[in-house]
Amino acid sequence: MAEFLDLHGRTSKALRALADAAMRRHGLHVGQNYLLAALWERDGSTPGEVAAALNVTTPTVVKMADRMTTAGLLTRRRDDRDNRLVRLWLTDAGRALQKPVEAERRLIEEKVTAGLTETERESLLNALAKVNRAASELLSKPIDYGDSPNT
């Protein structure tokens, strides 16, 4: 089923390009909307908590947070109870991006799925969720290629 991997790869690239262009219109760099979304859900998270939620490394979040602090979208403050921890807090500018960013993402989703029926949309989401679960499980353990023609 190599065609699935090829089509999925091309689709992912196209969707990423659409989303990135939309986020740039709001002054955001690649992936920063995900960090914002994590903080919209749980403002005051640590970089490690955000990294776990986004399935990325903590240094990735720290580097992104540096840029976003400079851009005025978030601030860093020491934890009130544990001075070793730093927490990320949205600024008014970071909070103000929630509605426009979420609207952009909805618009992209509506446009790219406009040719699908409601049933097809539901089936697509269900199938992608299953593929995502299977891929995540494979990432957590060594891959057994079984009777692969290359073994």
Side-chain angles (χ1 to χ4, degrees), residues 10-27:
R10 288 193 312 272
T11 302
S12 291
K13 282 184 178 183
L15 290 171
R16 174 89 182 231
L18 285 169
D20 289 347
M23 295 307 109
R24 280 194 299 276
R25 287 194 288 275
H26 298 283

Side-chain angles (χ1 to χ4, degrees), residues 43-93:
D43 201 10
S45 296
T46 67
E49 291 167 342
V50 172
L54 300 180
N55 200 26
V56 297
T57 65
T58 300
T60 298
V61 171
V62 169
K63 185 175 180 179
M64 201 177 299
D66 287 342
R67 281 185 160 189
M68 296 172 77
T69 298
T70 301
L73 299 175
L74 58 90
T75 61
R76 296 168 191 228
R77 287 184 289 207
R78 293 274 170 202
D79 183 86
D80 293 338
R81 287 169 275 181
D82 185 346
N83 200 36
R84 296 171 295 174
L85 293 178
V86 171
R87 297 201 171 270
L88 304 176
W89 297 92
L90 292 165
T91 62
D92 289 342

Side-chain angles (χ1 to χ4, degrees), residues 120-139:
E120 288 171 327
R121 280 188 196 101
E122 288 176 25
S123 294
L124 175 62
L125 289 176
N126 288 333
L128 285 173
K130 287 179 182 179
V131 169
N132 182 55
R133 276 193 301 277
S136 296
E137 287 174 17
L138 287 172
L139 281 173

